[in-house]
């Protein structure tokens, strides 16, 4: 505030600039963060503030939107999620047993390495994981155009045989980007499946999020969420049960 009572310009601190830029990046609609980043960079006119905001925001955005990136030199893709994260730039693809090294800001996979034994489930757990992955893959290919999925062991991955509990996270991500038609949308769902051997029970907790952005002569966004849970006896054919539940 100027001494004469008139309003004067208030200079924002570097930290304020960074936090504002970070907010806009994290809240970008599906598939639009690169467009938002380009405009922010121009508006900020502060390369240091932009780079700091981008380095913090892009990893959060990529994981929350569960983006899919092609791995060079392989036939597989990797989903960038909190479940696949090994290090801040390393993400596991359990289907190919490879770890992708990611450039978050460019949203590309720059290198691939074989996963170490300690980064993978035991052979006993992997048998269950592979069986579920095969059925989820079949379901996604039928129900989600351009959908991708993965199954991660998030608890009890070192179990060696019956009598041990373990937990999977099933991730489904599908996006349709059509900026030339002024619309983008995404589907993200996560299903936690807990195997309780002592109780012979299978518990399932699921959450899904649907986002859409339509911006022809306006700006309309949808962000819908839904959660559900259920349980069944361990002997039930798992893939049928999961496919039915995923219809929610």
């Amino acid at each position: 505030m100027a001494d004469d009572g008139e309003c004067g310009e208030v200079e924002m601190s570097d930290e304020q600039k960074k936090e504002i830029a970070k907010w806009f990046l994290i809240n970008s609609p599906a598939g639009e963060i690169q467009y938002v980043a380009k405009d922010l960079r121009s508006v900020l006119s502060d390369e240091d503030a932009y780079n700091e905001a981008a380095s913090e925001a892009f990893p959060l955005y990529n994981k929350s939107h569960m983006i899919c990136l092609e791995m060079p030199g392989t036939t597989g893709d990797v989903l960038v999620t909190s479940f696949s994260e090994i290090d801040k730039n390393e993400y596991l693809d359990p289907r190919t047993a490879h770890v992708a090294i990611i450039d978050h800001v460019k949203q590309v996979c720059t290198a691939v390495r074989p996963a170490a034994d300690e980064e993978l489930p035991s052979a006993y757990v992997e048998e269950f994981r592979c069986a579920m992955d095969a059925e989820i893959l079949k379901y996604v290919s039928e129900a989600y155009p351009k959908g991708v999925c993965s199954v991660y062991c998030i608890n009890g991955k070192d179990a060696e045989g019956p009598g041990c509990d373990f937990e999977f996270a099933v991730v489904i991500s599908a996006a349709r980007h059509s900026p030339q038609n002024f619309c983008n949308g995404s589907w993200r769902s996560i299903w936690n499946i807990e195997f309780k051997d002592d109780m012979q029970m299978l518990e399932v907790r699921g959450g899904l999020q649907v986002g859409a952005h339509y911006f022809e002569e306006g700006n309309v966004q949808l962000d819908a969420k839904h959660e559900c849970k259920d349980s069944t006896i361990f002997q039930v054919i798992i893939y049928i049960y999961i496919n039915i539940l995923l219809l929610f």
Side-chain angles (χ1 to χ4, degrees), residues 20 46-47 49 66 75 80 118 132 144 153 199 204 217:
I20 292 172
D46 187 330
E47 198 67 12
M66 301 191 297
T75 57
V80 179
E118 59 269 19
M132 180 164 290
Y144 298 84
C153 182
M199 299 173 60
V204 180
E217 298 182 359

Side-chain angles (χ1 to χ4, degrees), residues 6-247:
E6 295 181 358
C7 291
E9 291 187 4
V10 177
E11 182 70 23
M12 287 191 297
S13 67
D14 291 342
E15 182 66 20
Q16 288 174 316
K17 291 179 182 178
K18 184 199 79 172
E19 289 302 318
I20 292 172
K22 184 178 172 182
W23 186 91
F24 276 104
L25 290 169
I26 291 173
N27 288 280
S28 302
E32 296 179 37
I33 190 171
Q34 295 292 353
Y35 300 107
V36 174
K38 182 180 179 180
D39 290 342
L40 272 175
R41 197 171 202 162
S42 176
V43 171
L44 275 177
S45 297
D46 187 330
E47 198 67 12
D48 290 338
Y50 169 78
N51 287 335
E52 192 172 351
S55 67
E56 295 181 16
F58 268 86
L60 296 174
Y61 179 91
N62 293 340
K63 286 185 287 186
S64 67
H65 283 262
M66 301 191 297
I67 68 168
C68 179
L69 300 176
E70 183 180 355
M71 293 190 291
T74 73
T75 57
D77 299 322
V78 63
L79 274 169
V80 179
T81 77
S82 59
F83 304 110
S84 60
E85 188 175 29
I86 293 175
D87 198 1
K88 63 180 181 179
N89 294 319
E90 294 189 340
Y91 293 84
L92 172 69
D93 175 43
R95 191 174 297 137
T96 62
H98 280 78
V99 174
I101 291 83
I102 302 300
D103 184 322
H104 277 288
V105 176
K106 293 181 179 179
Q107 294 183 313
V108 296
C109 176
T110 58
V112 177
R113 66 168 176 83
D117 289 344
E118 59 269 19
E119 294 168 340
L120 299 171
S122 66
Y124 173 74
V125 174
E126 181 63 10
E127 186 176 356
F128 283 87
R129 196 208 64 78
C130 282
M132 180 164 290
D133 184 58
E135 296 302 328
I136 296 296
L137 190 62
K138 185 189 304 181
Y139 164 76
V140 169
S141 67
E142 295 171 353
Y144 298 84
K146 299 182 179 180
V148 289
C149 62
S150 195
V151 179
Y152 307 97
C153 182
I154 58 175
N155 283 311
K157 73 181 185 69
D158 297 324
E160 295 293 345
C164 299
D165 298 342
F166 51 92
E167 183 177 0
F168 291 156
V170 177
V171 172
I172 299 174
S173 178
R176 178 165 289 180
H177 302 150
S178 186
Q180 70 276 14
N181 294 313
F182 308 101
C183 61
N184 295 299
S186 68
W187 169 288
R188 292 162 275 168
S189 59
I190 299 171
W191 304 91
N192 291 79
I193 304 163
E194 190 174 356
F195 295 79
K196 294 186 176 180
D197 188 86
D198 58 338
M199 299 173 60
Q200 290 293 294
M201 291 293 294
L202 181 71
E203 293 192 352
V204 180
R205 305 182 310 278
L208 59 91
Q209 184 172 359
V210 179
H213 184 209
Y214 184 76
F215 49 98
E216 183 176 18
E217 298 182 359
N219 185 9
V220 181
Q221 292 195 52
L222 165 73
D223 187 11
K225 299 179 182 180
H226 177 69
E227 294 185 354
C228 57
K229 62 180 180 179
D230 206 345
S231 62
T232 187
I233 58 173
F234 194 77
Q235 287 86 352
V236 171
I237 300 175
I238 295 172
Y239 76 87
I240 294 178
Y241 178 76
I242 297 300
N243 282 351
I244 292 173
L245 188 58
L246 287 175
L247 295 177

